[in-house]
């Protein structure tokens, strides 16, 4: 019986709709009011052509032979608001992690303007114990969706082991493998996800996994392939110095940047990058390369005149600035992904050069200092830790383990609508007097994508 009643209503509705359409059609075909010019029917289309489409309702059809310009296109503006997240580490006077903070205990400022905290995640012991996700976006009008329950993410930490074998000494291969065995033992625990990537001939590219056996297999393949001082001194020169030195550094930076962009997809988790490298220097051993070494001279000074040497010296004036710019680009990408870089120099305590390397001791110490400073800069600008010029790797790994196990992830929606202010300062405070707060100091917006080419 219900089926027949519904069918009757459907037929009645269809009859009413048809009657309304008939009335509208008759009204449209009626004669125009008195005093208004009668509308002439459009002329027939020439043979082989389709007739022009009828003009929309309420729009006058232009007379024949009159060309009208199309209406100007309205500009389209797109606005996107992203959740800004930053790691927050809270410790008391004794250095112990404080795990009882709430939203009312934290304040976040961007460029001096207080922001409203939208999300707060507490991670203690490498596990998520408290999760306050940001409010979901409002549903479109007319659509009613059932409420969803967020899945409890009890997974461990995320580590990316970055093996920069293009800047690791071949003679230290055994020491480097021993370092990664310590990382596997003291840092990566059960439940932690990790991936391994290399920049050179070690050919390591392991996606995020929980299988620790893959780490053991990768350690056996790690081999240093860095340039020796003699390789740098004998390499051909360009206006920017040894071309091979910059090429290897750019390979490492571009590889890391691509990986960090993929890590942006992971939300509400802290990402730690264990960056193992000897560091970078775009102008290594300048006196020895240019023939001014008082001890050994240069092995490449045959046929080099003074004018060529002067031009090379002028081209190297901005080598340190170029390195600083490249490091800033890498660290900005890491900060956007909320990833901290922990740099480790496997050389440990560095003494003098090898006996078979003809390098001025003063230039060698300058080279070591610059390479270590580059690793310090990467760690400091991303909230990580630089393990350089020390041999106690176990102590450093335990500190990294503590920093990646206990932390908060604070999120807010920026109230600054100015897209031209790309770099913004962030400051996190607490009204509690017995708590010290550490947080990221700044972040940078992505560069706007160029508009797609018009066909």
């Amino acid at each position: 019986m219900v089926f027949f009643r519904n069918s009757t209503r459907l037929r009645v509705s269809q009859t009413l709709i048809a009657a309304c359409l008939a009335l509208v059609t008759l009204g449209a075909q009626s004669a125009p009011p008195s005093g208004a010019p009668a509308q002439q029917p459009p002329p027939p289309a020439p043979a082989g052509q389709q007739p022009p489409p009828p003009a929309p309702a309420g729009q006058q059809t232009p007379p024949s032979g009159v060309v009208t310009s199309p209406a100007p296109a309205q500009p389209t503006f797109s606005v996107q608001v992203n959740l800004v997240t930053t790691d927050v580490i809270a410790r008391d006077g004794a250095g112990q992690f404080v795990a009882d903070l709430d939203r009312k205990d934290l304040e976040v400022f961007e460029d001096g303007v207080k922001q409203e905290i939208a999300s707060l995640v507490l991670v203690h012991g490498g596990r998520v114990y408290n999760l306050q996700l940001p409010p979901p976006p409002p549903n479109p009008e007319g659509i009613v969706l059932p409420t969803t329950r967020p899945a409890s993410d009890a997974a461990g930490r995320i580590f990316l082991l970055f093996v920069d074998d293009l800047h690791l000494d071949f003679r230290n291969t055994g020491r480097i493998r021993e370092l990664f065995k310590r990382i596997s033992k003291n840092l990566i625990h059960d439940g932690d996800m990790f991936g391994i990537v290399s920049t050179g001939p070690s050919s390591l590219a392991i996606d995020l996994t929980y299988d620790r056996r893959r780490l053991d297999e990768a350690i056996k393949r790690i081999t240093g392939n860095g340039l020796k001082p003699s390789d740098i001194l004998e390499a051909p020169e360009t206006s920017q110095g040894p071309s091979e030195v910059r090429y290897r550094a750019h390979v490492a930076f571009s590889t890391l940047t691509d990986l960090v962009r993929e890590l942006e997809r992971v939300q509400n988790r802290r990402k730690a990058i264990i960056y193992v490298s000897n560091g970078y220097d775009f102008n290594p051993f300048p006196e020895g390369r240019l023939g001014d070494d008082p001890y050994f001279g240069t092995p490449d000074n045959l046929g080099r005149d003074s004018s060529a040497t002067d031009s090379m010296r002028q081209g190297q004036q901005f080598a340190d600035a170029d390195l600083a710019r490249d490091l800033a680009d890498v660290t900005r990408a890491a900060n956007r992904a909320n990833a901290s870089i922990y740099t480790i120099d496997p050389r440990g305590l560095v003494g003098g050069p090898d006996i078979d390397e003809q390098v001025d001791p003063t230039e060698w110490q300058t080279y070591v200092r610059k390479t270590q400073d580059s690793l310090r800069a990467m760690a400091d600008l991303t909230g990580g830790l630089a393990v350089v010029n020390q041999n106690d790797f176990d102590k450093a790994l335990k500190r990294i383990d503590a920093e990646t196990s206990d932390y908060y992830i604070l999120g807010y929606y920026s109230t600054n609508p100015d897209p031209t202010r790309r770099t913004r300062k962030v400051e996190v405070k607490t009204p509690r007097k017995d708590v010290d707060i550490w947080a990221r100091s700044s972040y940078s917006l992505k560069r706007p994508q160029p508009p797609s080419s018009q066909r």
Side-chain angles (χ1 to χ4, degrees):
M1 296 299 294
V2 176
F3 174 78
F4 290 108
R5 280 201 301 269
N6 292 340
S7 299
T8 304
R9 293 177 180 176
L10 179 60
R11 287 195 297 270
V12 172
S13 301
Q14 292 176 347
T15 304
L16 292 175
I17 293 174
C20 293
L21 291 177
L23 290 176
V24 173
T25 303
L26 291 176
Q29 295 177 353
S30 61
S34 58
Q39 184 176 2
Q40 298 295 332
Q49 296 184 4
Q50 296 293 334
Q59 181 177 352
Q60 298 293 335
T61 304
S64 177
V66 178
V67 179
T68 59
S69 60
Q74 296 295 329
T76 302
F77 300 94
S78 60
V79 178
Q80 183 179 5
V81 180
N82 294 325
L83 182 70
V84 180
T85 59
T86 181
D87 299 336
V88 177
I89 299 177
R91 300 190 183 277
D92 57 14
Q96 299 296 323
F97 180 72
V98 179
D100 60 347
L101 297 183
D102 200 352
R103 291 191 183 186
K104 63 179 182 297
D105 298 323
L106 295 172
E107 298 176 346
V108 58
F109 298 85
E110 180 178 297
D111 292 334
V113 180
K114 187 175 182 180
Q115 309 290 321
E116 181 180 357
I117 299 176
S119 65
L120 185 65
V121 179
L122 167 63
V123 181
H124 193 35
R127 299 296 182 268
V128 179
Y129 284 91
N130 183 23
L131 185 60
Q132 299 179 6
L133 291 175
N139 296 325
E141 295 183 0
I143 299 179
V144 179
L145 299 177
T147 58
T148 58
R149 297 175 57 186
S152 179
D153 186 5
R157 301 165 294 179
I158 296 178
F159 290 102
L160 177 61
L161 306 182
F162 193 85
V163 185
D164 187 14
D165 49 358
L166 290 178
H167 296 85
L168 295 174
D169 299 333
F170 174 76
R171 298 178 181 179
N172 288 340
T173 297
R175 185 183 182 92
I176 297 168
R177 293 180 180 178
E178 181 63 26
L179 170 62
F180 276 92
K181 291 179 181 179
R182 294 174 182 269
I183 292 175
S184 176
K185 177 182 178 181
N186 299 327
L187 183 59
I188 300 178
H189 308 303
D190 293 335
D192 293 338
M193 295 185 67
F194 63 91
I196 310 174
V197 176
S198 66
T199 60
S202 298
S203 301
L204 301 177
I206 300 177
D207 294 334
L208 293 176
T209 179
Y210 295 100
D211 191 357
R212 298 172 61 89
R213 294 177 299 178
R214 303 197 65 183
L215 176 58
D216 297 335
E217 296 173 356
I219 293 176
K220 300 177 182 178
R221 297 166 50 188
I222 297 176
T223 303
N225 192 45
L227 295 175
K228 298 184 297 183
S230 58
D231 298 333
I232 298 175
L233 293 174
E234 298 173 1
E237 291 278 339
T238 64
S239 60
Q240 294 183 341
S243 58
E244 183 67 17
V245 171
R246 294 211 179 196
Y247 171 75
R248 288 175 174 242
H250 291 159
V251 169
F253 296 155
S254 61
T255 303
L256 179 62
T257 303
D258 294 339
L259 294 174
V260 166
R261 289 173 181 171
E262 295 296 328
L263 289 179
E264 290 187 31
R265 304 179 182 179
V266 182
Q267 301 294 330
N268 296 321
R269 300 277 292 277
R270 189 179 188 188
K271 287 84 69 173
I273 301 175
I274 310 301
Y275 198 101
V276 181
S277 174
N278 288 354
Y280 310 95
D281 181 10
F282 281 180
N283 188 23
F285 316 117
E287 303 299 331
R289 293 188 352 259
L290 300 179
D292 295 335
D293 190 343
Y295 291 92
F296 303 102
T298 174
D300 193 30
N301 57 0
L302 297 178
R304 180 182 296 174
D305 55 7
S306 59
S307 60
T309 302
D310 294 339
S311 63
M312 291 179 182
R313 193 183 304 277
Q314 293 176 0
Q316 288 293 287
Q317 292 180 355
F318 303 100
D320 294 339
D322 294 341
L323 177 58
R325 181 195 60 217
D326 292 345
L327 292 177
D329 292 339
V330 171
T331 54
R332 277 196 294 264
N335 287 331
R336 282 194 295 266
N338 196 29
S340 300
I341 301 178
Y342 294 86
T343 55
I344 301 179
D345 185 357
R347 296 175 296 182
L349 286 171
V350 182
D354 294 333
I355 298 178
D356 58 343
E357 297 291 347
Q358 297 182 357
V359 180
D360 181 6
T362 303
E363 283 202 317
W364 169 258
Q365 294 298 329
T366 303
Y367 170 73
V368 172
R369 176 182 56 80
K370 285 187 176 181
T371 55
Q372 292 178 348
D373 288 345
S374 65
L375 298 179
R376 291 189 180 97
M378 296 178 67
D380 293 342
L381 295 177
T382 58
L385 174 68
V387 184
V388 297
N389 204 28
Q390 58 177 295
N391 292 329
D392 194 353
F393 295 113
D394 289 337
K395 180 180 179 180
L397 292 175
K398 290 180 181 178
R399 179 178 174 182
I400 296 175
D401 186 24
E403 290 190 3
T404 55
S405 298
D406 304 323
Y407 59 94
Y408 296 87
I409 297 182
L410 182 148
Y412 68 93
Y413 293 100
S414 175
T415 58
N416 186 358
D418 186 6
T420 61
R421 189 174 183 83
R422 297 187 61 250
T423 301
R424 304 177 179 185
K425 296 182 179 180
V426 179
E427 185 179 7
V428 181
K429 300 180 181 179
T430 177
R432 293 177 53 169
K433 302 299 182 182
D434 58 338
V435 178
D436 294 329
I437 293 294
W438 173 93
R440 198 178 311 276
S441 60
S442 65
Y443 75 97
S444 298
L445 301 177
K446 288 185 177 180
R447 294 184 181 275
Q449 297 294 334
S452 58
S453 59
Q454 301 276 343
R455 289 188 179 180

